[in-house]
Amino acid sequence: MLRDVAVLALQGAHAFELGVFCEVFGIDRGDDALPVYDFALVSGTGDSVPMRHGFEVRTRHGLERLASADLICIPAYDLHVRQPDHLTEELRAAVDRGARVLSICTGAFLLGEAGLLDGRRCTTHWRHTDELARRHPRARVESDVLYIDEDPSWRPSAAPPGPFAVGRPPFSGTPAPPHVTRPERANAVATAARLGRCPPGLS
């Protein structure tokens, strides 16, 4: 069962996609009888991380926090910003021990750099699918889907699962984080996320 979620605060990350992960996994909705996750915002580059939009995000956790995570989330980031090599090493180690990874938009490029997309179906924002395929020719890049779950039967006790790589033609990446929770809690979390945006009856 999904309990422990870590979100990578990357240099040059996009605020919207980072916020999607925080909204779905980082808010305590226990009063609504929904699961409460052990949530952490994690940095591999110090406790203050510059975002793409000219502000910084402060974190309390370094990469050591990934060691306990069931799910590691990678937001979109500016592809002109090179991420530290040790991030890919940590992602590979996490998947080797059985963690799952989930990316939105250009976050898929970090999974590619870690070698986690080799031989797997994956996607990214439609503007970047050709570049993803060029940089990572062993990945099976698809451009006509909203998101891909490479291993829909995933359970924490199973063999190391396939990573997610998520596309985002405007806002289409947002269904993917709630999708991760559905095998365990049906549509409850997805419903809560919708109700946070729309009043009952319109969701």
Side-chain angles (χ1 to χ4, degrees):
M1 183 175 291
L2 180 61
R3 294 294 188 192
D4 192 317
V5 179
V7 175
L8 281 175
L10 301 175
Q11 297 181 84
H14 297 196
F16 174 78
E17 287 83 351
L18 183 68
V20 168
F21 288 135
C22 295
E23 178 77 17
V24 173
F25 299 112
I27 294 178
D28 185 340
R29 294 189 174 92
D31 289 344
D32 297 318
L34 294 172
V36 177
Y37 301 104
D38 187 356
F39 174 85
L41 190 62
V42 174
S43 168
T45 55
D47 60 1
S48 184
V49 185
M51 298 288 103
R52 181 187 184 191
H53 312 284
F55 62 89
E56 296 183 346
V57 168
R58 298 187 65 83
T59 67
R60 299 177 180 176
H61 302 279
L63 292 180
E64 68 280 354
R65 179 61 177 74
L66 301 183
S68 65
D70 304 315
L71 176 68
I72 299 171
C73 302
I74 302 100
Y77 65 95
D78 186 341
L79 293 178
H80 295 102
V81 178
R82 179 171 175 78
Q83 304 299 327
D85 291 339
H86 60 269
L87 282 180
T88 57
E89 296 170 4
E90 293 288 344
L91 289 172
R92 284 193 296 269
V95 170
D96 285 346
R97 67 167 175 77
R100 199 173 200 188
V101 290
L102 165 62
S103 70
I104 289 180
C105 191
T106 53
F109 283 78
L110 190 61
L111 297 183
E113 290 174 19
L116 297 177
L117 301 183
D118 291 356
R120 300 183 188 275
R121 298 169 57 238
C122 60
T123 192
T124 187
H125 190 287
W126 60 269
R127 291 183 183 274
H128 302 296
T129 51
D130 289 346
E131 180 65 12
L132 183 65
R134 187 190 68 79
R135 293 192 189 186
H136 306 291
R138 297 180 63 186
R140 296 162 55 195
V141 180
E142 300 183 11
S143 60
D144 57 352
V145 293
L146 298 184
Y147 62 87
I148 290 174
D149 186 346
E150 178 69 357
D151 185 0
S153 62
W154 170 79
R155 295 291 183 274
S157 60
F164 260 79
V166 180
R168 192 190 63 83
F171 303 108
S172 69
T174 56
H179 170 82
V180 177
T181 69
R182 285 176 178 166
E184 298 161 349
R185 298 297 178 109
N187 290 324
V189 173
T191 299
R194 289 198 305 272
L195 290 177
R197 302 292 180 268
C198 305
L202 295 181
S203 52

